[in-house]
Amino acid sequence: MPEYHEQVYQPEEDTYLLLKYALKEAGPEDKILEVGTGSGLIAMEMSKISEKTIAIDINPYACISAKKSGVEVIRCDLLSCINTRFDLILFNPPYLPTVSEEKIDDWLEYALDGGEDGRKTIYKFADMLGDIMSKTGRCLLLVSSLTGVDEVSDYFSRLGLLSLIVAEEKIEDEKLYILRIFHDMCSFNE
Ligand SMILES: C[S@@+](CC[C@H](N)C(=O)[O-])C[C@H]1O[C@@H](n2cnc3c(N)ncnc32)[C@H](O)[C@@H]1O
């Protein structure tokens, strides 16, 4: 496996679980966005399926790493730079519950720190997701038992988005889930 910059998240079990289900979900006509691409591994594999794949990350070292893998990447904070809709959105977010005394002031912290309940970045992402997901679009989101999958599903539901658990995998003392999120057609706004 290639070695990435020390400030870039190295692909782990969560990366490979999301990749596995992204490979099942993606089609050649899909406009694909990977949020928080890190090394760029997932976006690189998606680019082989659809030429219309782009990735974003807030970490400049991650952007350099993804670019080196041949991925079209934009450095931005979550979806703030996106003004078009995508058919498939992928996100393995920072999800570890982190209190302020545990915070480390470096770029890798963005890969891990999910705020006090682990859901801070997920909720910010959720607030913007409906506006950038196409009518028949879907999002695959990695969620951990440390983060609380029911709480995350409830949050999407309050935003008029439906979610289903499509995969779960036990790793050491945590369980990883893939949530598949899509529009509730009754509340979709063009
Ligand atoms: C757990 S890592 C996942 C990296 C890669 N996708 C993987 O699965 O190996 C989370 C990634 O999200 C990025 N990230 C965190 N907060 C972000 C934000 N507000 N905007 C964009 N990217 C963010 C981090 O820099 C990091 O690369």
Side-chain angles (χ1 to χ4, degrees):
M1 198 180 63
E3 277 290 306
Y4 300 101
H5 189 282
E6 59 179 12
Q7 290 290 308
V8 174
Y9 187 79
Q10 306 292 310
E12 296 279 355
E13 281 100 331
D14 47 4
T15 313
Y16 294 109
L17 185 65
L18 181 58
L19 175 59
K20 181 173 164 189
Y21 284 86
L23 288 169
K24 288 181 201 248
E25 186 76 44
E29 297 306 320
D30 283 331
K31 224 168 128 184
I32 303 176
L33 172 69
E34 191 200 359
V35 182
T37 193
S39 64
L41 177 73
I42 294 177
M44 182 186 75
E45 292 301 324
M46 292 298 105
S47 311
K48 294 178 190 166
I49 298 174
S50 168
E51 287 174 359
K52 294 173 279 181
T53 297
I54 67 165
I56 57 183
D57 206 292
I58 200 167
N59 174 351
Y61 298 104
C63 294
I64 292 168
S65 160
K67 203 165 178 198
K68 276 190 192 156
S69 306
V71 170
E72 187 182 330
V73 60
I74 307 169
R75 182 175 175 226
C76 85
D77 185 359
L78 286 177
L79 305 174
S80 56
C81 57
I82 301 293
N83 55 11
T84 181
R85 290 188 187 262
F86 288 83
D87 306 306
L88 179 60
I89 298 142
L90 306 167
F91 193 20
N92 176 11
Y95 62 69
L96 291 180
T98 311
V99 293
S100 44
E101 305 83 71
E102 292 170 322
K103 287 184 197 291
I104 300 163
D105 188 17
D106 68 10
W107 285 109
L108 203 51
E109 188 69 13
Y110 281 87
L112 307 172
D113 177 359
E116 286 199 9
D117 60 8
R119 299 189 287 272
K120 190 173 105 189
T121 304
I122 294 175
Y123 285 171
K124 278 195 199 164
F125 166 76
D127 290 342
M128 300 186 230
L129 178 64
D131 292 335
I132 67 119
M133 187 161 63
S134 66
K135 192 170 183 176
T136 54
R138 56 272 184 231
C139 166
L140 297 183
L141 177 72
L142 192 295
V143 182
S144 159
S145 50
L146 303 175
T147 316
V149 72
D150 291 341
E151 289 83 347
V152 172
S153 288
D154 287 351
Y155 195 81
F156 281 108
S157 143
R158 274 182 264 138
L159 294 167
L161 295 167
L162 303 176
S163 60
L164 290 174
I165 295 173
V166 292
E168 45 185 280
E169 186 172 296
K170 179 121 181 54
I171 53 155
E172 293 168 15
D173 53 354
E174 104 185 84
K175 215 171 192 184
L176 300 178
Y177 300 89
I178 302 287
L179 268 192
R180 187 177 190 273
I181 302 147
F182 45 98
H183 285 289
D184 178 346
M185 284 307 161
C186 303
S187 55
F188 180 76
N189 291 315
E190 292 286 346

